[in-house]
Amino acid sequence: MLYRTAGQFKTSYYADHALFPVRQDAMLLGFILLLAFVVFPMTADEFVFKALLVPVLIYALAALGLNILTGFAGQLSLGTGAFMGVGAYACYKLVSIFPEMNIVVAIALSGFFSAAVGVAFGLPSLRIKGFYLAIATLAAQFFLVWLFEKWAWLYNYNSSGAIQVPNIDMFGVTVAGPNASAVVQYYFVLCVVSLITLLSINITRGRIGRIWKSVRDMDIAAELVGINLMKAKLSAFAVSSYIVGIAGALFVFLWRGAAEPVLFDIPLSFRVLFIAIIGGLGSILGNYLGAILIVALPVVISALPSALGLPVSSATVEHLNTMIIGALIIAFLIIEPHGLARFWAIIREKLIMWPFPH
Amino acid sequence: MEFLNSILVKPFSDMFAAPDFLIQVLWEGLVAGVLYALIALGFVLIYKSSRIFNFAQGIMVVFAALTLVGLHEKGVPALLAVPMTLGVMFLLAVAIERVVLRPLVNQPDIILFMATIGITLFLVGFGELIFGGENKVMITEQLHIPTGSFEFEPFGGFVSIEQKDVTAVIGAVLLVGGLILFLNRSKMGRAIRALGDDHQAALSVGISLSTIWVLVWFIAGVIALATGIVWGARAGVSFALEVIAFKALPVLMLGGLESVLGAIVGGIAIGVLEKLFEIYWGQPLLGGNTETWFAFVFALIVLLFRPQGLFGERIIERV
């Protein structure tokens, strides 16, 4: 009864092209934003910010970047972790070379470095397709992580080989580093993520987005109707790596606080890929649903035995955790290969029809 | 000039200055390459018959080796543990076919690829839960694998070749030979290749998809056990073995996803070249540890010239 699209007439093209043509969708989004901007910061404690809210947002952003490349433009990438690393190291160098630079500017600029690297490793996509292309991004993955380890200039020649985030102030408030408070970091991440999500929704439904989708669906047909494949694929690599790079900078500066090269190794790439696929390829909403699932699941599983009073050692819990996530990935793929976003679409259809079956 | 000398001249003069060391490096590369080739072979077999890009091959190697060592620790004689491990790999093949593959027939490639990553995670957790995460020693002696080494003194130098490596190479050659005979001469082998060419046509002439899939995953399990024994004898049995699964990917791409021959040539080429590069270019000039990425970058460069790999089927796009 609540979800009715009947009676919402559009009398102009402008209204029909609105971001949310259905009133209930806009209201739902408003409610979620209210939760994210007002209710969560007032109720959550330090642990919830650090273990759930901030990582969900950052992983969702990284998955959004990957989704633009894989879900919208159809180019498989297994190197997301390394591109996040490029963003993080670029941001670290920018902050240490120009200490007065505003952190927002530094993060925004660091995305360009990972975009450049992404385009360089995206060049083979013009010749190599499908699984063969995975090798290009895997080459990026292993080569870049090796570079983070060996190129001492990147981590300012310190002996630990890791990068440590200094305290960074913005308008008198500490936003990054050991002294920053969790709420401030949460708001910072939330604002960046919301802004980029808004931009990507508009990019993917605009001209470039339609070009990407046509390349994904059939690149030969796209070429025949006059789409420049080189521009389309490379722009997808650039935009995707830009977003992934920003996610990487946020990952280290606003969440982890420190990073070693190992952090950006292949498990991170796979985690982001899981989020994108379980959430749903070619969907923006899916990244958030997938990130919530993948981030919350280990927290829930490790909290469960002690909550139930079961005597299980922490090592066993960790192994069970890996096993359950593996099994869940398979289960989700079997139940709904198009991801959680499709679930929401089905629920929405049902709600519109309810109480009638058809 | 100095720089050009250090990358173009000095490595080669080093090679000729110490030919015994060069032989040692080449042999090490060859043995590593044979192992890469074995893992890649498991991939190729599954890809050929079902177009599934099986990421779980690496963890199957670890799982098979762990099962073998774990059974032996429980008191099972070594020579009985091998057939029992094969039995476990068969059950695993049946379970994967029933639970994972059958419901996912006809899904896009990437979904099946993700499912094999799911299998990987599941097996990692399962293996650690049962056998523990610590490093184990492969039961080399109990399996009657010789452990001594042959020593030569060519060109007045010194070369040492371990007997278990020789056993590994001979074993791999026999395994590959048997596999090629099986694929090309037996009825089942023809069915596997038919399924790889065209699923629907194969089904319509009465080839059972599920039987063949179980068979193929079981053969991949046998190859995994062989690889696990050999690699475990060299480096111990632990989940660190999983990294060699990544090495099999460039091997596959280099050789071509469908080609058994390609997997072997690609594996040996990458094994030898990455050792040479590491010793003569990587360590003196780049700070070492180049083996992590060399294979990938090399495969990428080759793919730029031959997008289907060295021996892959020519990619023909129809509209």
Side-chain angles (χ1 to χ4, degrees):
Chain A
M1 290 302 263
L2 285 168
Y3 203 95
R4 283 281 178 275
T5 51
Q8 299 182 18
F9 300 115
K10 305 289 182 297
T11 49
S12 65
Y13 282 118
Y14 185 75
D16 204 37
H17 285 169
L19 211 47
F20 298 100
V22 180
R23 198 183 304 131
Q24 285 88 342
D25 282 354
M27 278 157 65
L28 186 66
L29 183 76
F31 175 67
I32 292 172
L33 286 180
L34 186 76
L35 274 183
F37 274 95
V38 183
V39 178
F40 287 157
M42 279 161 64
T43 51
D45 57 9
E46 185 89 19
F47 172 77
V48 175
F49 278 125
K50 281 278 175 198
L52 288 173
L53 294 175
V54 175
V56 162
L57 288 172
I58 292 173
Y59 276 123
L61 187 65
L64 174 64
L66 176 65
N67 222 326
I68 284 182
L69 187 61
T70 306
F72 285 93
Q75 311 297 313
L76 180 62
S77 165
L78 300 177
T80 320
F83 293 124
M84 286 174 79
V86 174
Y89 276 89
C91 193
Y92 180 70
K93 283 313 283 185
L94 283 172
V95 167
S96 47
I97 293 173
F98 309 103
E100 298 85 33
M101 191 190 273
N102 191 319
I103 178 80
V104 178
V105 179
I107 289 177
L109 284 178
S110 59
F112 286 109
F113 288 90
S114 70
V117 176
V119 169
F121 280 98
L123 281 173
S125 73
L126 304 175
R127 221 173 130 66
I128 309 172
K129 286 173 186 172
F131 278 124
Y132 285 99
L133 179 61
I135 202 72
T137 49
L138 272 176
Q141 170 73 54
F142 287 99
F143 181 71
L144 290 170
V145 169
W146 176 83
L147 202 64
F148 297 153
E149 223 165 90
K150 297 289 172 189
W151 194 7
W153 178 78
L154 281 178
Y155 46 86
N156 288 351
Y157 303 97
N158 63 15
S159 53
S160 63
I163 54 176
Q164 200 78 34
V165 177
N167 283 315
I168 298 169
D169 290 359
M170 194 173 84
F171 309 126
V173 185
T174 313
V175 290
N179 291 345
S181 80
V183 185
V184 174
Q185 294 194 314
Y186 170 71
Y187 268 119
F188 188 96
V189 174
L190 186 62
C191 291
V192 174
V193 172
S194 311
L195 184 70
I196 292 180
T197 308
L198 184 67
L199 286 177
S200 1
I201 293 175
N202 278 312
I203 290 178
T204 51
R205 64 187 210 132
R207 184 181 141 79
I208 304 178
R210 288 200 301 275
I211 289 176
W212 289 339
K213 284 178 204 165
S214 63
V215 171
R216 168 194 67 188
D217 291 342
M218 195 170 185
D219 55 354
I220 294 179
E223 202 172 5
L224 286 176
V225 296
I227 286 168
N228 185 339
L229 281 190
M230 186 173 90
K231 266 190 202 162
K233 286 181 177 176
L234 291 186
S235 65
F237 268 98
V239 173
S240 157
S241 314
Y242 183 83
I243 296 176
V244 168
I246 285 186
L250 291 177
F251 183 72
V252 172
F253 274 70
L254 275 299
W255 183 37
R256 302 301 293 248
E260 301 178 329
V262 183
L263 191 64
F264 302 107
D265 222 337
I266 198 129
L268 180 64
S269 303
F270 276 151
R271 199 171 312 143
V272 177
L273 189 63
F274 287 150
I275 293 173
I277 290 192
I278 286 187
L281 286 176
S283 135
I284 303 253
L285 168 75
N287 302 309
Y288 290 88
L289 300 177
I292 291 170
L293 187 80
I294 292 286
V295 172
L297 206 64
V299 178
V300 172
I301 292 174
S302 43
L304 212 55
S306 58
L308 295 173
L310 293 174
V312 185
S313 75
S314 62
T316 315
V317 171
E318 200 182 308
H319 301 155
L320 272 177
N321 212 332
T322 324
M323 225 171 111
I324 292 173
I325 289 179
L328 271 180
I329 287 169
I330 298 172
F332 269 108
L333 290 178
I334 292 172
I335 298 167
E336 184 51 77
H338 299 283
L340 294 170
R342 178 63 66 90
F343 263 132
W344 165 239
I346 293 170
I347 293 172
R348 198 165 159 257
E349 299 268 291
K350 292 257 189 263
L351 278 175
I352 292 174
M353 295 295 176
W354 191 83
F356 305 108
H358 301 292
Chain B
M1 205 55 223
E2 185 70 19
F3 174 71
L4 282 180
N5 180 50
S6 70
I7 57 167
L8 291 178
V9 181
K10 191 166 168 298
F12 294 103
S13 64
D14 283 351
M15 280 180 206
F16 286 108
D20 56 325
F21 184 62
L22 179 64
I23 292 174
Q24 184 80 50
V25 171
L26 287 176
W27 170 253
E28 295 288 327
L30 180 75
V31 175
V34 166
L35 289 165
Y36 297 157
L38 275 181
I39 300 182
L41 211 56
F43 272 99
V44 167
L45 211 54
I46 289 176
Y47 188 82
K48 246 175 127 65
S49 66
S50 55
R51 302 284 137 176
I52 295 173
F53 195 83
N54 174 29
F55 190 76
Q57 185 67 29
I59 197 67
M60 277 164 69
V61 171
V62 183
F63 191 74
L66 273 178
T67 312
L68 181 64
V69 178
L71 281 172
H72 186 70
E73 278 177 2
K74 294 279 186 314
V76 182
L79 291 178
L80 188 63
V82 174
M84 280 177 76
T85 311
L86 289 180
V88 172
M89 295 316 281
F90 181 71
L91 289 180
L92 183 69
V94 174
I96 288 176
E97 197 274 328
R98 276 289 147 79
V99 181
V100 184
L101 299 182
R102 199 175 284 184
L104 286 174
V105 174
N106 263 341
Q107 292 295 345
D109 294 346
I110 178 134
I111 300 291
L112 285 160
F113 171 61
M114 288 305 293
T116 62
I117 297 181
I119 296 173
T120 308
L121 282 182
F122 182 83
L123 285 180
V124 169
F126 188 63
E128 283 183 335
L129 201 63
I130 295 181
F131 304 110
E134 69 273 13
N135 209 333
K136 287 184 173 24
V137 181
M138 179 43 77
I139 43 172
T140 320
E141 280 167 30
Q142 291 87 334
L143 290 169
H144 304 291
I145 296 172
T147 47
S149 59
F150 300 113
E151 282 157 12
F152 302 94
E153 292 181 1
F155 315 110
F158 177 77
V159 177
S160 154
I161 290 177
E162 293 216 27
Q163 285 178 8
K164 60 187 175 198
D165 289 350
V166 179
T167 321
V169 173
I170 295 172
V173 169
L174 289 179
L175 198 65
V176 170
L179 200 64
I180 291 178
L181 275 183
F182 174 76
L183 279 178
N184 287 320
R185 292 278 177 267
S186 77
K187 213 173 166 184
M188 279 293 198
R190 268 207 303 273
I192 291 176
R193 288 187 296 141
L195 213 51
D197 283 345
D198 190 330
H199 269 174
Q200 281 175 345
L203 281 175
S204 68
V205 296
I207 294 170
S208 158
L209 190 67
S210 49
T211 317
I212 296 295
W213 277 12
V214 169
L215 179 74
V216 165
W217 279 77
F218 175 59
I219 297 175
V222 175
I223 297 174
L225 177 63
T227 324
I229 292 175
V230 173
W231 195 275
R234 285 167 63 85
V237 182
S238 75
F239 283 90
L241 272 176
E242 208 193 341
V243 295
I244 51 172
F246 287 109
K247 283 295 172 56
L249 296 178
V251 168
L252 278 170
M253 307 286 179
L254 185 66
L257 285 172
E258 303 93 351
S259 165
V260 172
L261 180 68
I264 297 160
V265 174
I268 292 173
I270 281 191
V272 170
L273 288 176
E274 76 173 10
K275 266 285 188 303
L276 282 178
F277 184 81
E278 167 73 11
I279 300 286
Y280 292 100
W281 284 270
Q283 278 173 4
L285 299 170
L286 295 167
N289 211 7
T290 54
E291 280 166 326
T292 54
W293 54 265
F294 175 78
F296 295 92
V297 176
F298 179 69
L300 179 59
I301 293 168
V302 173
L303 280 188
L304 284 180
F305 294 99
R306 274 188 75 87
Q308 72 274 38
L310 291 175
F311 299 93
E313 285 162 19
R314 207 182 158 73
I315 303 167
I316 302 166
E317 297 198 49
R318 293 189 178 84
V319 183

PDB file of all heavy atoms in Angstrom, chain A residues 84-102:
ATOM      1  N   MET A  84      44.250   0.836  -5.174  1.00  0.00           N
ATOM      2  CA  MET A  84      44.006   1.506  -3.893  1.00  0.00           C
ATOM      3  C   MET A  84      45.340   1.914  -3.279  1.00  0.00           C
ATOM      4  O   MET A  84      45.488   2.999  -2.723  1.00  0.00           O
ATOM      5  CB  MET A  84      43.259   0.576  -2.929  1.00  0.00           C
ATOM      6  CG  MET A  84      41.791   0.387  -3.260  1.00  0.00           C
ATOM      7  SD  MET A  84      41.007  -0.837  -2.210  1.00  0.00           S
ATOM      8  CE  MET A  84      40.720   0.104  -0.719  1.00  0.00           C
ATOM      9  N   GLY A  85      46.333   1.036  -3.395  1.00  0.00           N
ATOM     10  CA  GLY A  85      47.659   1.336  -2.867  1.00  0.00           C
ATOM     11  C   GLY A  85      48.267   2.563  -3.530  1.00  0.00           C
ATOM     12  O   GLY A  85      48.851   3.412  -2.859  1.00  0.00           O
ATOM     13  N   VAL A  86      48.093   2.679  -4.863  1.00  0.00           N
ATOM     14  CA  VAL A  86      48.642   3.844  -5.552  1.00  0.00           C
ATOM     15  C   VAL A  86      48.022   5.115  -4.984  1.00  0.00           C
ATOM     16  O   VAL A  86      48.731   6.092  -4.691  1.00  0.00           O
ATOM     17  CB  VAL A  86      48.378   3.754  -7.074  1.00  0.00           C
ATOM     18  CG1 VAL A  86      48.808   5.027  -7.766  1.00  0.00           C
ATOM     19  CG2 VAL A  86      49.106   2.574  -7.665  1.00  0.00           C
ATOM     20  N   GLY A  87      46.694   5.097  -4.784  1.00  0.00           N
ATOM     21  CA  GLY A  87      46.036   6.264  -4.195  1.00  0.00           C
ATOM     22  C   GLY A  87      46.594   6.580  -2.820  1.00  0.00           C
ATOM     23  O   GLY A  87      46.888   7.739  -2.501  1.00  0.00           O
ATOM     24  N   ALA A  88      46.773   5.553  -2.006  1.00  0.00           N
ATOM     25  CA  ALA A  88      47.231   5.767  -0.633  1.00  0.00           C
ATOM     26  C   ALA A  88      48.651   6.321  -0.605  1.00  0.00           C
ATOM     27  O   ALA A  88      48.937   7.294   0.097  1.00  0.00           O
ATOM     28  CB  ALA A  88      47.159   4.452   0.140  1.00  0.00           C
ATOM     29  N   TYR A  89      49.551   5.711  -1.405  1.00  0.00           N
ATOM     30  CA  TYR A  89      50.942   6.174  -1.396  1.00  0.00           C
ATOM     31  C   TYR A  89      51.060   7.562  -2.011  1.00  0.00           C
ATOM     32  O   TYR A  89      51.848   8.395  -1.548  1.00  0.00           O
ATOM     33  CB  TYR A  89      51.847   5.175  -2.126  1.00  0.00           C
ATOM     34  CG  TYR A  89      52.284   4.032  -1.246  1.00  0.00           C
ATOM     35  CD1 TYR A  89      51.529   2.879  -1.147  1.00  0.00           C
ATOM     36  CD2 TYR A  89      53.428   4.124  -0.474  1.00  0.00           C
ATOM     37  CE1 TYR A  89      51.913   1.836  -0.323  1.00  0.00           C
ATOM     38  CE2 TYR A  89      53.821   3.089   0.355  1.00  0.00           C
ATOM     39  CZ  TYR A  89      53.067   1.946   0.426  1.00  0.00           C
ATOM     40  OH  TYR A  89      53.446   0.927   1.258  1.00  0.00           O
ATOM     41  N   ALA A  90      50.261   7.844  -3.061  1.00  0.00           N
ATOM     42  CA  ALA A  90      50.297   9.171  -3.670  1.00  0.00           C
ATOM     43  C   ALA A  90      49.864  10.210  -2.645  1.00  0.00           C
ATOM     44  O   ALA A  90      50.490  11.267  -2.500  1.00  0.00           O
ATOM     45  CB  ALA A  90      49.388   9.203  -4.893  1.00  0.00           C
ATOM     46  N   CYS A  91      48.805   9.898  -1.900  1.00  0.00           N
ATOM     47  CA  CYS A  91      48.300  10.834  -0.900  1.00  0.00           C
ATOM     48  C   CYS A  91      49.359  11.044   0.187  1.00  0.00           C
ATOM     49  O   CYS A  91      49.598  12.166   0.641  1.00  0.00           O
ATOM     50  CB  CYS A  91      47.014  10.281  -0.306  1.00  0.00           C
ATOM     51  SG  CYS A  91      46.107  11.481   0.649  1.00  0.00           S
ATOM     52  N   TYR A  92      50.031   9.961   0.563  1.00  0.00           N
ATOM     53  CA  TYR A  92      51.061  10.049   1.599  1.00  0.00           C
ATOM     54  C   TYR A  92      52.205  10.952   1.145  1.00  0.00           C
ATOM     55  O   TYR A  92      52.679  11.813   1.889  1.00  0.00           O
ATOM     56  CB  TYR A  92      51.580   8.652   1.917  1.00  0.00           C
ATOM     57  CG  TYR A  92      52.650   8.613   2.971  1.00  0.00           C
ATOM     58  CD1 TYR A  92      52.345   8.884   4.303  1.00  0.00           C
ATOM     59  CD2 TYR A  92      53.966   8.327   2.641  1.00  0.00           C
ATOM     60  CE1 TYR A  92      53.328   8.863   5.275  1.00  0.00           C
ATOM     61  CE2 TYR A  92      54.953   8.297   3.606  1.00  0.00           C
ATOM     62  CZ  TYR A  92      54.632   8.562   4.919  1.00  0.00           C
ATOM     63  OH  TYR A  92      55.602   8.542   5.877  1.00  0.00           O
ATOM     64  N   LYS A  93      52.629  10.771  -0.114  1.00  0.00           N
ATOM     65  CA  LYS A  93      53.722  11.608  -0.610  1.00  0.00           C
ATOM     66  C   LYS A  93      53.287  13.066  -0.719  1.00  0.00           C
ATOM     67  O   LYS A  93      54.043  13.969  -0.371  1.00  0.00           O
ATOM     68  CB  LYS A  93      54.185  11.106  -1.985  1.00  0.00           C
ATOM     69  CG  LYS A  93      55.053   9.880  -1.978  1.00  0.00           C
ATOM     70  CD  LYS A  93      56.163   9.933  -0.977  1.00  0.00           C
ATOM     71  CE  LYS A  93      57.337  10.806  -1.414  1.00  0.00           C
ATOM     72  NZ  LYS A  93      58.452  10.702  -0.423  1.00  0.00           N
ATOM     73  N   LEU A  94      52.069  13.294  -1.188  1.00  0.00           N
ATOM     74  CA  LEU A  94      51.580  14.674  -1.314  1.00  0.00           C
ATOM     75  C   LEU A  94      51.562  15.352   0.040  1.00  0.00           C
ATOM     76  O   LEU A  94      51.989  16.494   0.193  1.00  0.00           O
ATOM     77  CB  LEU A  94      50.168  14.680  -1.915  1.00  0.00           C
ATOM     78  CG  LEU A  94      50.077  14.454  -3.420  1.00  0.00           C
ATOM     79  CD1 LEU A  94      48.631  14.297  -3.836  1.00  0.00           C
ATOM     80  CD2 LEU A  94      50.714  15.607  -4.156  1.00  0.00           C
ATOM     81  N   VAL A  95      51.069  14.617   1.050  1.00  0.00           N
ATOM     82  CA  VAL A  95      50.962  15.208   2.378  1.00  0.00           C
ATOM     83  C   VAL A  95      52.348  15.464   2.961  1.00  0.00           C
ATOM     84  O   VAL A  95      52.576  16.464   3.629  1.00  0.00           O
ATOM     85  CB  VAL A  95      50.127  14.284   3.296  1.00  0.00           C
ATOM     86  CG1 VAL A  95      50.263  14.699   4.740  1.00  0.00           C
ATOM     87  CG2 VAL A  95      48.675  14.333   2.892  1.00  0.00           C
ATOM     88  N   SER A  96      53.317  14.574   2.672  1.00  0.00           N
ATOM     89  CA  SER A  96      54.633  14.809   3.270  1.00  0.00           C
ATOM     90  C   SER A  96      55.450  15.840   2.495  1.00  0.00           C
ATOM     91  O   SER A  96      56.298  16.508   3.063  1.00  0.00           O
ATOM     92  CB  SER A  96      55.409  13.501   3.447  1.00  0.00           C
ATOM     93  OG  SER A  96      55.341  12.742   2.285  1.00  0.00           O
ATOM     94  N   ILE A  97      55.170  16.007   1.190  1.00  0.00           N
ATOM     95  CA  ILE A  97      55.910  17.035   0.446  1.00  0.00           C
ATOM     96  C   ILE A  97      55.293  18.422   0.669  1.00  0.00           C
ATOM     97  O   ILE A  97      55.995  19.402   0.856  1.00  0.00           O
ATOM     98  CB  ILE A  97      55.937  16.693  -1.066  1.00  0.00           C
ATOM     99  CG1 ILE A  97      56.776  15.435  -1.290  1.00  0.00           C
ATOM    100  CG2 ILE A  97      56.540  17.840  -1.866  1.00  0.00           C
ATOM    101  CD1 ILE A  97      56.731  14.909  -2.703  1.00  0.00           C
ATOM    102  N   PHE A  98      53.950  18.467   0.674  1.00  0.00           N
ATOM    103  CA  PHE A  98      53.273  19.750   0.913  1.00  0.00           C
ATOM    104  C   PHE A  98      52.444  19.656   2.195  1.00  0.00           C
ATOM    105  O   PHE A  98      51.238  19.396   2.120  1.00  0.00           O
ATOM    106  CB  PHE A  98      52.331  20.105  -0.247  1.00  0.00           C
ATOM    107  CG  PHE A  98      52.965  20.026  -1.596  1.00  0.00           C
ATOM    108  CD1 PHE A  98      52.715  18.947  -2.430  1.00  0.00           C
ATOM    109  CD2 PHE A  98      53.809  21.026  -2.044  1.00  0.00           C
ATOM    110  CE1 PHE A  98      53.304  18.865  -3.686  1.00  0.00           C
ATOM    111  CE2 PHE A  98      54.396  20.940  -3.297  1.00  0.00           C
ATOM    112  CZ  PHE A  98      54.143  19.857  -4.122  1.00  0.00           C
ATOM    113  N   PRO A  99      53.075  19.856   3.357  1.00  0.00           N
ATOM    114  CA  PRO A  99      52.334  19.644   4.608  1.00  0.00           C
ATOM    115  C   PRO A  99      51.166  20.611   4.783  1.00  0.00           C
ATOM    116  O   PRO A  99      50.229  20.314   5.525  1.00  0.00           O
ATOM    117  CB  PRO A  99      53.384  19.886   5.697  1.00  0.00           C
ATOM    118  CG  PRO A  99      54.689  19.868   5.000  1.00  0.00           C
ATOM    119  CD  PRO A  99      54.444  20.267   3.600  1.00  0.00           C
ATOM    120  N   GLU A 100      51.204  21.790   4.093  1.00  0.00           N
ATOM    121  CA  GLU A 100      50.116  22.763   4.304  1.00  0.00           C
ATOM    122  C   GLU A 100      48.904  22.437   3.450  1.00  0.00           C
ATOM    123  O   GLU A 100      47.865  23.068   3.587  1.00  0.00           O
ATOM    124  CB  GLU A 100      50.578  24.188   3.966  1.00  0.00           C
ATOM    125  CG  GLU A 100      51.709  24.722   4.810  1.00  0.00           C
ATOM    126  CD  GLU A 100      53.054  24.298   4.265  1.00  0.00           C
ATOM    127  OE1 GLU A 100      53.166  24.180   3.035  1.00  0.00           O
ATOM    128  OE2 GLU A 100      53.965  24.053   5.068  1.00  0.00           O
ATOM    129  N   MET A 101      49.046  21.481   2.541  1.00  0.00           N
ATOM    130  CA  MET A 101      47.944  21.220   1.617  1.00  0.00           C
ATOM    131  C   MET A 101      46.719  20.697   2.357  1.00  0.00           C
ATOM    132  O   MET A 101      46.834  19.890   3.282  1.00  0.00           O
ATOM    133  CB  MET A 101      48.384  20.198   0.576  1.00  0.00           C
ATOM    134  CG  MET A 101      47.418  20.055  -0.570  1.00  0.00           C
ATOM    135  SD  MET A 101      47.842  18.645  -1.584  1.00  0.00           S
ATOM    136  CE  MET A 101      49.007  19.378  -2.695  1.00  0.00           C
ATOM    137  N   ASN A 102      45.567  21.197   1.935  1.00  0.00           N
ATOM    138  CA  ASN A 102      44.318  20.712   2.526  1.00  0.00           C
ATOM    139  C   ASN A 102      44.159  19.226   2.219  1.00  0.00           C
ATOM    140  O   ASN A 102      44.410  18.786   1.100  1.00  0.00           O
ATOM    141  CB  ASN A 102      43.154  21.511   1.929  1.00  0.00           C
ATOM    142  CG  ASN A 102      41.869  21.254   2.661  1.00  0.00           C
ATOM    143  OD1 ASN A 102      41.575  20.112   3.017  1.00  0.00           O
ATOM    144  ND2 ASN A 102      41.117  22.307   2.902  1.00  0.00           N
TER     145      ASN A 102
END
